[in-house]
């Protein structure tokens, strides 16, 4: 896959992201090849990102690159933040799961990690494709763009 193909997939996956949901700010990253990933960078309104808003990044640099390197099965990472995510994630370290769709992603509990360190994230997503970072974000990962976006939407 090249940069333009990855950008088109990312944009398509984010298109209409907020149709039924509150506005979510965040960052979306997709593996392009074994050496690079494409990132929206920073904290942006996810539904408003266009193909021009992506940056090609070296997979051997930084925390996101480390996640992609250590987990070759992950091809997409989405960090998303809403006021509701912040409020819920501040309340505990583990949340019981009551929706079947979420249970399919997490098992019986949704983990809330204390920080966004690479070690915390990798530990939390070992048996799950989503988790919350206390007081900030939801993290959703997937083998493709659609799965990461769906994970964030379900949470």
């Amino acid at each position: 896959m090249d940069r333009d193909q990855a950008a088109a997939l990312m944009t398509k996956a984010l298109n209409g992201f907020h149709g039924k949901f509150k506005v979510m700010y965040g960052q979306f990253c997709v593996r392009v090849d074994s050496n690079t990933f494409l990132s929206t960078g920073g904290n942006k309104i996810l539904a408003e990102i266009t193909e021009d808003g992506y940056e090609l990044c070296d997979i051997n640099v930084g925390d996101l690159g480390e996640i992609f390197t250590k987990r070759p099965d992950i091809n997409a990472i989405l960090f998303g933040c809403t006021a509701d995510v912040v409020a819920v994630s501040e309340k505990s370290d583990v949340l019981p799961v009551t929706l079947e769709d979420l249970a399919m992603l997490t098992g019986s509990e949704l983990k809330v990690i204390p920080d966004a360190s690479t070690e915390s994230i990798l530990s939390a997503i070992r048996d799950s494709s989503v988790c919350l970072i206390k007081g900030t974000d939801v993290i959703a990962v997937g083998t493709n763009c659609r799965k990461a976006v769906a994970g964030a939407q379900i949470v």
Side-chain angles (χ1 to χ4, degrees):
M1 174 168 35
D2 66 22
R3 184 222 180 273
D4 293 336
Q5 291 169 322
L9 289 171
M10 291 171 77
T11 302
K12 185 175 181 180
L14 291 173
N15 186 26
F17 187 76
H18 304 296
K20 296 186 283 187
F21 307 98
K22 294 180 180 183
V23 173
M24 182 173 274
Y25 293 83
Q27 180 176 8
F28 192 32
C29 304
V30 172
R31 182 190 309 266
V32 174
D33 56 37
S34 61
N35 297 313
T36 58
F37 66 95
L38 206 55
S39 174
T40 61
N43 199 19
K44 301 176 180 176
I45 297 175
L46 292 174
E48 295 179 1
I49 297 170
T50 64
E51 289 185 31
D52 298 332
Y54 301 115
E55 170 186 344
L56 199 59
C57 303
D58 184 341
I59 209 162
N60 299 306
V61 177
D63 294 335
L64 292 169
E66 187 174 353
I67 292 170
F68 281 123
T69 301
K70 289 186 175 180
R71 288 286 304 272
D73 59 313
I74 293 174
N75 292 314
I77 304 170
L78 188 144
F79 290 85
C81 180
T82 65
D84 293 336
V85 167
V86 171
V88 168
S89 68
E90 288 177 335
K91 292 184 179 185
S92 79
D93 295 330
V94 176
L95 299 167
V97 173
T98 57
L99 295 173
E100 184 178 344
D101 290 348
L102 185 55
M104 291 173 66
L105 299 173
T106 66
S108 63
E109 298 177 328
L110 175 60
K111 295 176 185 159
V112 181
I113 57 177
D115 57 52
S117 70
T118 304
E119 296 79 24
S120 292
I121 293 170
L122 288 170
S123 176
I125 61 172
R126 184 179 3 218
D127 301 325
S128 175
S129 61
V130 294
C131 69
L132 298 177
I133 302 171
K134 192 172 266 315
T136 60
D137 293 313
V138 59
I139 302 170
V141 300
T143 55
N144 61 48
C145 296
R146 291 258 182 230
K147 287 183 179 180
V149 168
Q153 288 176 321
I154 290 168
V155 170

